[in-house]
Amino acid sequence: MPRDQRVAAIRAAIEAALAPTALEIEDESHRHAGHAGAQDGRGHFRVAVVSAAFAGLAPIARHRAVYAAVGELMTTDIHALSISAQTPEEAARS
């Protein structure tokens, strides 16, 4: 997938799976130029997801839910994914 379409694809996948109330996605690939993991063309991304779907889930389960949401993109377009996953109540307190 063209690099400029990756953020949109990640957004669509997370929105469809987790119905977030807030979602920020940052392409940090430029910070990893020359990194061995970036040589295959996949990118580095940071996501901040606020979703009621995370209620009652431990942090590792929240991360697994995000990884499951982006699914195939992890093998085709994403090399690294930094995740912040909060419930709406947690986000309101921070």
Side-chain angles (χ1 to χ4, degrees):
M1 165 180 321
R3 192 174 292 275
D4 62 340
Q5 294 176 10
R6 290 178 176 167
V7 169
I10 293 168
R11 178 175 304 283
I14 292 173
E15 286 177 346
L18 300 170
T21 56
L23 175 59
E24 295 178 18
I25 304 169
E26 182 179 352
D27 183 347
E28 298 183 332
S29 300
H30 64 283
R31 296 182 184 163
H32 301 275
H35 177 265
Q39 292 178 357
D40 64 3
R42 296 184 296 154
H44 292 69
F45 299 88
R46 176 179 306 277
V47 297
V49 186
V50 178
S51 175
F54 298 139
L57 297 180
I60 190 72
R62 294 175 184 199
H63 285 220
R64 286 181 181 145
V66 174
Y67 283 121
V70 297
E72 182 72 18
L73 292 170
M74 288 301 300
T75 62
T76 60
D77 293 281
I78 301 170
H79 171 72
L81 187 63
S82 173
I83 301 169
S84 169
Q86 297 180 305
T87 65
E89 293 77 19
E90 292 164 344
R93 290 193 298 259
S94 47

